[in-house]
Amino acid sequence: MKKNKLLSCLFCVVAAVAFVIVGWLLGLGYYLLFPRGSGSYWASGTLNMLLAGLTILALWGLKKAHILKDGGEGFWSGIKIGGFLAFMILYLLIAGVAEGAASGTLQPIETILGFAFSMFAVGFSEELLFRGLIQNVLADCFGRDSARGVWLTVIASGVVFGLTHLFNILTAGITPLAGAMQAVAAVGVGVYFGAIYARCGNLWVLICLHSLNDFAALVTSGLWETTSVIETIGSYGPERLLSVLLYGGLAAFLLRRKKMEQITGREAQILEIRE
């Protein structure tokens, strides 16, 4: 049993690292072929859609493609479960638009559309991998019908999600401090996303929330000629650590005992049906 758990965790780490490396190689290939367009949002979005396609193939190979159709608690119920994040997205969007409108020149329409496409593609590809593939593999390993199994799954998938952001130090050229702060903060976000997914069971809820969150968080650099996305990330400091406490607390609230009983009961019924 311990060996199976170790192999499952190792598989998830390898899958996440492979995702990042393949994405970097695709980006490098694009840069060599089209050096003038290497920074295009359209290119970034296209590369992430290719990664999403590879992840879907992996899900199909592991007989987990059904997660794309699983409705869980329903889309709008899932949005309600992630209500705090929906509120934060609205706040970041309003604040970012106000800041950008006051300090920069609006980007051309093709750049704005490319930015929106890129943000969707990032959310789509990352949720397919981290919640769709990795969280489901870990859930099979640790157990879906026990509180301990759910918590181990959510925490482990969040840690893998966060640590992959360390690659930005090498690939994006940001400072080690900013990269570490982004990674640690991403662990908290990953745990929160995992808790939402455990509650609602609908992957499209996470894809929507993740994409909109990235769009809202980077809207100033994406829609106005102010700072670049890399400069925004490069400004991250120790204050990002506070987000770990925030999102960890939100995850604990979502997975409180009463709701955990509903989650484990639902998963137990699903396992019986599939068996």
Side-chain angles (χ1 to χ4, degrees):
M1 181 65 71
K2 289 183 178 180
K3 183 177 180 180
N4 290 336
K5 291 181 179 179
L6 179 61
L7 289 175
S8 294
C9 291
L10 181 61
F11 168 81
C12 292
V13 172
V14 171
V17 172
F19 180 89
V20 174
I21 292 177
V22 170
W24 180 78
L25 290 174
L26 288 173
L28 179 62
Y30 179 86
Y31 173 79
L32 293 175
L33 291 173
F34 309 103
R36 294 184 179 180
S38 60
S40 167
Y41 287 125
W42 288 105
S44 172
T46 301
L47 294 177
N48 273 282
M49 292 303 287
L50 289 173
L51 289 172
L54 293 174
T55 305
I56 290 174
L57 287 176
L59 287 169
W60 179 78
L62 293 171
K63 298 182 179 180
K64 294 187 180 298
H66 61 84
I67 67 158
L68 293 171
K69 298 185 293 183
D70 288 347
E73 298 295 319
F75 182 82
W76 292 112
S77 292
I79 295 294
K80 183 179 178 181
I81 289 170
F84 175 82
L85 186 57
F87 170 79
M88 284 300 299
I89 288 170
L90 181 61
Y91 168 77
L92 289 172
L93 190 60
I94 293 173
V97 168
E99 179 183 350
S103 61
T105 302
L106 196 65
Q107 300 271 29
I109 185 64
E110 62 269 20
T111 301
I112 293 174
L113 292 175
F115 171 69
F117 171 61
S118 177
M119 294 301 99
F120 167 76
V122 170
F124 183 51
S125 62
E126 290 190 355
E127 288 309 310
L128 279 175
L129 176 68
F130 291 102
R131 256 57 65 183
L133 178 63
I134 289 177
Q135 186 160 332
N136 276 288
V137 168
L138 291 174
D140 290 342
C141 169
F142 293 118
R144 299 172 180 271
D145 54 354
S146 70
R148 181 176 182 274
V150 172
W151 267 114
L152 285 173
T153 296
V154 168
I155 292 173
S157 63
V159 169
V160 174
F161 174 71
L163 291 181
T164 57
H165 288 74
L166 289 173
F167 281 88
N168 284 335
I169 297 173
L170 300 175
T171 60
I174 62 176
T175 66
L177 175 61
M181 293 302 99
Q182 185 194 22
V184 173
V187 170
V189 173
V191 169
Y192 179 47
F193 280 5
I196 295 174
Y197 186 46
R199 278 284 303 275
C200 72
N202 188 314
L203 187 62
W204 291 100
V205 170
L206 277 301
I207 291 171
C208 178
L209 289 175
H210 190 151
S211 300
L212 289 175
N213 183 66
D214 287 352
F215 182 92
L218 299 172
V219 67
T220 303
S221 55
L223 270 62
W224 284 272
E225 296 177 357
T226 53
T227 59
S228 68
V229 171
I230 298 302
E231 288 173 333
T232 299
I233 297 174
S235 67
Y236 289 171
E239 72 280 354
R240 288 277 156 179
L241 297 176
L242 295 176
S243 66
V244 178
L245 297 177
L246 172 63
Y247 288 116
L250 289 168
F253 175 75
L254 289 179
L255 301 180
R256 60 193 185 276
R257 183 174 179 179
K258 179 180 178 181
K259 298 301 181 181
M260 183 66 78
E261 290 174 353
Q262 295 176 7
I263 295 169
T264 55
R266 181 192 68 206
E267 293 297 334
Q269 290 179 350
I270 292 174
L271 288 173
E272 288 179 5
I273 293 172
R274 289 179 180 167
E275 289 176 356

